[in-house]
């Protein structure tokens, strides 16, 4: 598998995904306002949290075992059986607890919630199988389908008067398409389930599920706790939840490249680990980490200068309440960019147990800090809780990984990025004081100005310039006419 080529495909797909998703957020924010989004976002949060016991970490375990190229058919058949039973059980419990689900969501959505849970779980499992087959690049189109459906189907149904249900139906239709196309593309045959293969899957999954819990806690604990404060009438509104999640989604844009590289690199590192090619793994990590750091650092500085403008111009005045939370969340993407790669590497060398210990520790801290800090500081408290707990998670992952590999981080290049970002921030602030940002065009113009200043400065540093040429050169020559 060509890691660079596959990473580029995934990155391109995720840029399209981000454009679709972000366009949908902008459209729905302006059309329906923050309060309905305060129902839709908890729907997604609950979907992810309830999906954890339904999945039991089997998708990641299946990806790992299939990537090892040994008894793939038997592993797939066994994983399907193991996944169906808890999934159907969780769906039944969700239906039985329908009144509580509806109260949490603020709308009668339990039936649609269960249907979406079933379909999205099947689709996500298909993506894991494809990645295990080292066909990561082929999943690119599937990355775009769900947000595109959310935008197109959701908007059309909203115009027909379906309200917040339109957003959910859009997500549901996209999940159906992902599941259908994903399983159509899978080439591994479904073999006969065996107890031996079940034990092997559970041996890996028992720890990877904990890592998954940590990931979902990081993604959704803040929204979940904020929603509980809404239900309890404790000073948080559904409009606050909608504004906070929009800030969160805006901050996510800068991690696209790092996630694309990590997604591609996992099965390749798994294969290298099976071949005892430790030096290749050690060489790949800093090379893969640098591009992500070169993006998240200037994005954080830019958010300090433009946070209010980003939320107000893109979404509307009622979303500006989350401006300080946006700055904190953008800062949190710096340790996250490191963690994205480290956790994939630790799992790929078959140590999900250590990744699990790190995740469960930070997840517990995340929950505790969210309850305390939201109570005291509202939206900013949620952002601080999420950022602090994830920084700890990253540090623990780095500690564990250094026990098996020589971890070399690109400190000099990252330091130069900080300098270039500071100069860029000053330049953007100077321009910002001269104009009144009122339109999206003006906002993007000043962002492009900042990006041009930063790119010029960061590429003036020789090591960064050489690394960019070494990484992008083969790709440019391959895709050139």
């Amino acid at each position: 598998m060509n890691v660079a080529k596959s990473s580029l495909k995934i990155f391109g797909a995720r840029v399209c995904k981000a454009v679709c998703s972000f366009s949908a957020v902008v459209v729905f924010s302006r059309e329906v306002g923050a309060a309905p989004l305060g129902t839709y976002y908890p729907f997604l949060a609950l979907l992810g949290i309830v999906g954890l016991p339904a999945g039991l970490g089997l998708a990641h375990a299946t990806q790992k075992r299939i990537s090892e190229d040994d008894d793939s058919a038997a592993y797939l058949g066994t994983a399907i059986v193991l996944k169906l039973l808890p999934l159907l059980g969780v769906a039944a419990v969700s239906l039985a607890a329908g009144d509580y689900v509806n109260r949490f969501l603020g709308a009668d959505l339990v039936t649609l919630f269960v249907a979406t849970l079933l379909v999205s779980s099947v689709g996500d499992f298909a993506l894991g199988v494809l990645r295990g087959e080292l066909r990561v690049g082929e999943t690119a189109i599937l990355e775009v389908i769900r947000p595109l459906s959310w935008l197109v189907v959701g908007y059309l149904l909203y115009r027909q008067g379906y309200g917040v249900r339109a957003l959910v139906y859009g997500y549901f239709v996209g999940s159906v398409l992902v599941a259908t196309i994903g399983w159509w593309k899978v080439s591994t045959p479904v073999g006969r389930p065996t107890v031996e293969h079940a034990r092997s899957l559970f041996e890996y999954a028992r720890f990877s599920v904990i890592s998954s819990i940590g990931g979902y806690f990081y993604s959704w604990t803040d929204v979940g706790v904020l929603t509980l404060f809404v239900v309890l009438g404790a000073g948080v509104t559904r409009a606050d939840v909608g504004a906070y999640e929009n800030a969160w989604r805006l901050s996510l844009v800068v991690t696209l490249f790092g996630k694309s590289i990590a997604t591609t690199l996992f099965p390749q590192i798994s294969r290298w680990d099976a071949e005892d090619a430790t030096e290749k793994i050690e060489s790949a990590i800093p090379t893969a980490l640098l591009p992500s750091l070169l993006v998240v650092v200037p994005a954080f500085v830019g958010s300090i200068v433009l946070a209010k403008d980003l939320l107000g111009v893109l979404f509307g005045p009622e979303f500006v309440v989350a401006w300080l939370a946006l700055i904190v969340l953008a800062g949190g993407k710096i340790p996250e960019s490191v963690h994205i790669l480290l956790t994939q590497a630790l799992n790929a060398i078959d140590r999900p147990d250590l990744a699990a210990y790190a995740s469960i520790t930070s997840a517990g801290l995340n929950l505790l800090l969210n309850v305390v800090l939201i109570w005291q500081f509202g939206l900013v408290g949620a952002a601080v809780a999420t950022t602090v707990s994830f920084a700890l998670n990253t540090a623990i992952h780095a500690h564990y990984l250094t026990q098996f590999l020589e971890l070399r981080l690109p400190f000099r290049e990252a330091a130069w990025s900080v300098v270039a970002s500071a100069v860029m921030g000053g330049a953007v602030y100077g321009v910002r004081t001269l104009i009144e940002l009122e339109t999206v065009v003006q906002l993007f113009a000043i962002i492009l100005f900042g990006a041009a200043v930063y790119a010029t400065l960061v590429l003036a540093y020789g090591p960064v310039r050489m690394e960019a040429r070494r990484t992008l050169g083969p790709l440019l020559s391959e895709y050139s006419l």
Side-chain angles (χ1 to χ4, degrees), residues 55-75:
L56 295 176
L58 286 171
H60 209 178
T62 305
Q63 177 182 342
K64 167 64 176 171
R65 296 307 182 217
I66 290 178
S67 71
E68 294 171 343
D69 200 25
D70 185 25
D71 290 336
S72 299
Y75 275 119

Side-chain angles (χ1 to χ4, degrees), residues 149-166:
S149 175
W150 181 41
L151 172 60
V152 176
V153 177
Y155 182 74
L156 291 176
L157 292 178
Y158 172 77
R159 299 298 294 179
Q160 295 298 317
Y162 282 82
V164 71
R165 284 180 171 272

Side-chain angles (χ1 to χ4, degrees), residues 230-261:
V230 173
V231 174
L232 296 173
V236 179
T237 66
R238 290 202 177 269
D240 290 334
V241 177
Y244 178 86
E245 180 61 16
N246 273 18
W248 165 265
R249 288 176 175 243
L250 190 57
S251 72
L252 281 180
V253 173
V254 299
T255 63
L256 287 176
F257 199 32
K259 288 182 177 179
S260 303
I261 296 172

Side-chain angles (χ1 to χ4, degrees), residues 192-227:
R192 181 180 179 181
T194 70
V195 174
E196 178 184 356
H197 290 88
R199 287 174 179 166
S200 178
L201 287 168
F202 273 127
E203 181 182 353
Y204 189 93
R206 61 177 174 157
F207 295 111
S208 68
V209 70
I210 299 177
S211 296
S212 298
I213 290 173
Y216 276 114
F217 259 68
Y218 175 62
S219 298
W220 292 114
T221 294
D222 42 11
V223 172
V225 175
L226 284 168
T227 305

Side-chain angles (χ1 to χ4, degrees), residues 305-306 422-437 446 449-450 453:
V305 180
L306 298 174
V423 176
M424 177 271 294
V428 171
Y429 178 78
V431 173
R432 175 66 185 86
T433 59
L434 299 176
I435 62 174
E436 187 69 28
L437 285 180
I446 198 170
F449 166 75
V453 172

Side-chain angles (χ1 to χ4, degrees), residues 119-190:
V119 174
S120 62
S121 297
V122 172
D124 291 342
F125 189 68
L127 294 181
V129 175
L130 287 171
R131 291 170 184 143
E133 294 175 346
L134 302 186
R135 297 165 59 196
V136 180
E138 295 182 41
T139 66
I141 185 63
L142 300 179
E143 296 275 1
V144 184
I145 291 176
R146 199 146 34 195
L148 182 60
S149 175
W150 181 41
L151 172 60
V152 176
V153 177
Y155 182 74
L156 291 176
L157 292 178
Y158 172 77
R159 299 298 294 179
Q160 295 298 317
Y162 282 82
V164 71
R165 284 180 171 272
L167 282 67
V168 178
Y169 280 129
Y171 186 89
F172 173 75
V173 171
S175 298
V176 171
L177 292 174
V178 169
T180 303
I181 299 174
W183 281 106
W184 174 68
K185 292 176 71 70
V186 167
S187 62
T188 302
V190 179

